[in-house]
Amino acid sequence: MAKVHVTTTINGEPMEFLCEPGDTMLDALRGTLNLTGSKEGCASGDCGACSITLDDRLICSCLMLAVESQDHEIRTIEGLANGEHLHPLQQKFLEMAALQCGICTSGMLVASDALLKKNPDPSEEEVRFWLAGNLCRCTGYDKIVRAVMETAQELQNQEMRAQ
């Protein structure tokens, strides 16, 4: 079968790649594009370890065909930090030990960032609801939820100081 040429934007950079028609976006990210931050946990969209954003919409990359990324904007965990400067969520996850084995961490961070872009002042219930599609077998979620809540507060404080 012939490979398909895909032109898209990933983490703000124009990208072109070849893929098989049946390759998932996760396959393309981890294989062809060597962006290995998104993890394969279940391959059925149940765990959230492969979470990315497609045009600012949170999705599981294991459920998307790579060819569907044509002319869209993809953001992965690799696009969260600014060079060596960690995103505030990444920094807070480290400070609060909101991670353990790391399998769910990239998906949790991408989902948390998508939430804060949609709602910069979420309640704890909203954070828990938003992250419900991301499974963690290690932390029990409390530190993750607190890290998201504290990051939201810090980002709001920074915005108020900037005004």
Side-chain angles (χ1 to χ4, degrees):
M1 193 174 274
K3 292 198 177 211
V4 178
H5 178 261
V6 177
T7 303
T8 189
T9 302
I10 301 178
N11 299 324
E13 298 291 325
M15 294 273 186
E16 293 185 41
F17 62 92
L18 295 174
C19 64
E20 298 291 334
D23 285 352
T24 66
M25 192 67 218
L26 180 61
D27 294 333
L29 289 170
R30 292 187 58 80
T32 307
L33 298 168
N34 200 32
L35 295 171
T36 58
S38 300
K39 305 298 183 209
E40 182 173 346
C42 66
S44 61
D46 293 320
C47 74
C50 67
S51 293
I52 62 171
T53 58
L54 173 71
D55 299 331
D56 293 324
R57 196 177 96 236
L58 185 64
I59 64 162
C60 291
S61 62
C62 71
L63 297 180
M64 174 188 174
L65 293 175
V67 296
E68 293 177 295
S69 69
Q70 178 70 36
D71 299 325
H72 289 281
E73 173 85 26
I74 302 282
R75 188 158 183 225
T76 69
I77 186 65
E78 288 88 355
L80 209 56
N82 184 7
E84 295 295 316
H85 187 297
L86 293 178
H87 184 280
L89 278 165
Q90 292 171 308
Q91 186 63 45
K92 191 57 71 177
F93 269 53
L94 285 173
E95 288 171 12
M96 298 184 71
L99 54 107
Q100 285 185 21
C101 81
I103 295 296
C104 73
T105 305
S106 60
M108 289 284 189
L109 286 164
V110 169
S112 298
D113 182 53
L115 166 62
L116 295 182
K117 283 181 177 174
K118 208 171 201 43
N119 179 2
D121 187 23
S123 67
E124 181 178 334
E125 182 180 1
E126 289 168 318
V127 172
R128 288 184 182 279
F129 180 80
W130 192 268
L131 296 179
N134 294 75
L135 300 180
C136 176
R137 290 180 168 86
C138 302
T139 68
Y141 303 94
D142 287 332
K143 289 181 181 179
I144 294 168
V145 171
R146 281 185 281 159
V148 174
M149 299 289 294
E150 285 194 24
T151 301
Q153 188 62 54
E154 286 180 12
L155 291 173
Q156 286 176 356
N157 291 343
Q158 286 176 5
E159 189 174 309
M160 287 173 53
R161 283 191 298 267
Q163 293 175 355

